[in-house]
């Protein structure tokens, strides 16, 4: 991707009042406006479309929910810094999780294209999702290693000849979720965002878990739609709509109740 957010090279597949919680349970990090990781020549990021003039309600938060939201927002506000040793180590850890038997020659290397980054320096792709998008990928790798490898290597279903790039897709999913849940607002202005804060108040890793669900759902939608790389934005829109529907189901009281959660554990 160039500095204008113009195009990417498709990759060939590697192989065939809310009253829920009174406390915030910890279990376990910047979105730059208008600079998401774009997918598709001349296509805009599907999750960046918003009219500031839209009038939307706001929902009151409990003190616990407000605390959890502020902590999540502080993660979102962290830009990836290629000079930060902790960020460097996280990137190395991602490589090791993806290719445990292959030695990485350096943080700037053509090897990164194997994972679906657009160039030899992954830091240029993090502009759309910040450090939290790297954290999300690591969370997926560490907590759902089979799902991580299946997504990376495109091991499920009848795949297209030209597939979406795994890593850049992951950054787009982080950005999409931040927009869908309205996480940059002081208070949620959508019922989906307000409902998510119930989950967040009970489990501070709820955003990371939802990311994993969204990635597997996106891949499922990709296969169902027999998509190829130019269809990525359409698949992303479909994924977002499905997540919104599932979050608002009456019998969903935690993320594990989402129908799409089953994609993670099958």
């Amino acid at each position: 991707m160039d500095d204008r957010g113009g195009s990417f090279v498709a990759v060939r597949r590697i192989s065939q009042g809310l009253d829920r919680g009174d406390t915030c349970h910890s279990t376990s990090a910047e979105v730059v406006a208008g600079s998401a990781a774009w997918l598709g020549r001349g296509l805009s990021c599907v999750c960046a479309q918003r009219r500031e003039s839209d009038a939307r309600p706001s929902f009151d938060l409990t003190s616990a929910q407000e605390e959890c939201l502020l902590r999540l927002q502080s993660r979102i506000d962290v830009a990836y810094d290629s000079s930060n040793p902790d960020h460097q180590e996280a990137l190395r850890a991602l490589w090791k999780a993806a290719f445990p038997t292959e030695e990485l020659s350096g943080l700037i290397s053509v090897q990164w294209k194997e994972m679906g980054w657009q160039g030899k320096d992954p830091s240029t792709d993090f502009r759309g999702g910040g450090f939290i998008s790297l954290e999300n990928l690591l969370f997926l790798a560490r907590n759902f290693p089979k799902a991580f490898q299946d997504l990376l290597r495109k091991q499920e279903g009848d795949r297209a000849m030209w597939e979406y790039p795994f890593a850049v897709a992951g950054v787009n999913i982080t950005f999409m979720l931040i927009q869908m849940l309205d996480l940059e607002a002081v208070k949620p202005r959508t019922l989906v965002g307000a409902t998510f804060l119930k989950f967040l108040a009970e489990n501070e890793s709820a955003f990371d878990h939802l990311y994993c669900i969204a990635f597997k759902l996106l891949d499922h939608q990709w296969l169902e739609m027999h998509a190829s790389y130019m269809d990525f934005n359409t698949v992303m829109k479909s994924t977002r709509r499905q997540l919104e529907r599932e979050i608002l189901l009456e019998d969903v009281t935690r993320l594990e109740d989402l129908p799409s959660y089953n994609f993670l554990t099958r």
Side-chain angles (χ1 to χ4, degrees):
M1 182 180 67
D2 61 26
D3 291 337
R4 297 164 295 176
S7 63
F8 83 107
V9 178
V11 295
R12 189 182 294 268
R13 51 192 167 88
I14 297 175
S15 64
Q16 277 315 112
L18 302 171
D19 56 1
R20 190 58 177 276
D22 294 325
T23 60
C24 186
H25 303 289
S26 299
T27 60
S28 11
E30 151 185 305
V31 171
V32 182
S35 62
W38 310 117
L39 282 168
R41 187 181 302 276
L43 298 180
S44 61
C45 180
V46 298
C47 46
Q49 299 169 2
R50 181 174 62 185
R51 293 175 297 177
E52 296 298 335
S53 59
D54 285 351
R56 291 186 285 181
S58 64
F59 297 80
D60 291 331
L61 306 177
T62 67
S63 58
Q65 291 160 356
E66 187 173 353
E67 241 179 77
C68 292
L69 176 59
L70 287 172
R71 275 197 286 271
L72 180 54
Q73 288 173 333
S74 72
R75 291 179 63 195
I76 292 170
D77 286 340
V78 177
Y80 180 82
D81 181 357
S82 58
S83 67
N84 185 316
D86 291 335
H87 293 196
Q88 294 173 359
E89 186 56 35
L91 193 56
R92 290 190 186 96
L94 181 64
W95 176 268
K96 188 171 182 59
F99 306 108
T101 62
E102 184 177 345
E103 190 72 24
L104 178 66
S105 62
L107 292 180
I108 298 179
S109 168
V110 294
Q111 289 174 282
W112 288 108
K113 293 184 180 182
E114 298 176 37
M115 196 186 295
W117 300 104
Q118 297 185 85
K120 62 183 182 179
D121 183 3
S123 67
T124 62
D125 287 328
F126 285 123
R127 289 174 297 182
F131 184 58
I132 193 172
S133 59
L134 174 53
E135 289 187 314
N136 289 157
L137 284 166
L138 274 172
F139 185 91
L140 174 60
R142 289 166 173 168
N143 292 273
F144 302 97
K146 182 182 182 302
F148 178 84
Q149 288 293 332
D150 287 347
L151 289 165
L152 171 65
R153 301 179 183 277
K154 308 294 191 295
Q155 291 179 332
E156 293 185 343
D158 185 16
R159 312 304 306 200
M161 178 61 69
W162 294 101
E163 284 282 334
Y164 64 85
F166 167 78
V168 176
V171 174
N172 269 260
I173 291 170
T174 297
F175 189 92
M176 179 272 285
L177 290 176
I178 291 168
Q179 298 297 306
M180 183 186 85
L181 300 172
D182 202 20
L183 292 177
E184 295 178 288
V186 175
K187 294 181 179 180
R189 295 171 294 181
T190 66
L191 186 55
V192 170
T195 302
F196 170 75
L197 289 183
K198 295 179 182 180
F199 308 142
L200 187 65
E202 292 196 346
N203 182 351
E204 199 169 7
S205 68
F207 183 80
D208 304 271
H209 273 100
L210 186 59
Y211 172 89
C212 299
I213 296 167
F215 213 146
K216 285 294 287 184
L217 175 59
L218 178 139
D219 194 65
H220 174 77
Q221 301 278 57
W222 180 272
L223 293 172
E224 287 288 302
M225 297 169 68
H226 304 287
S228 190
Y229 74 97
M230 286 301 291
D231 302 314
F232 183 85
N233 284 351
T234 300
V235 177
M236 182 71 90
K237 288 178 182 179
S238 176
T239 300
R240 173 172 174 163
R241 287 193 298 267
Q242 182 63 25
L243 280 176
E244 290 172 331
R245 284 192 293 266
E246 293 188 13
I247 287 172
L248 296 179
L249 291 173
E250 284 187 12
D251 57 347
V252 171
T253 59
R254 55 183 189 146
L255 288 177
E256 290 82 355
D257 295 331
L258 295 175
S260 292
Y261 182 81
N262 294 326
F263 295 134
L264 271 177
T265 56
R266 67 183 184 183

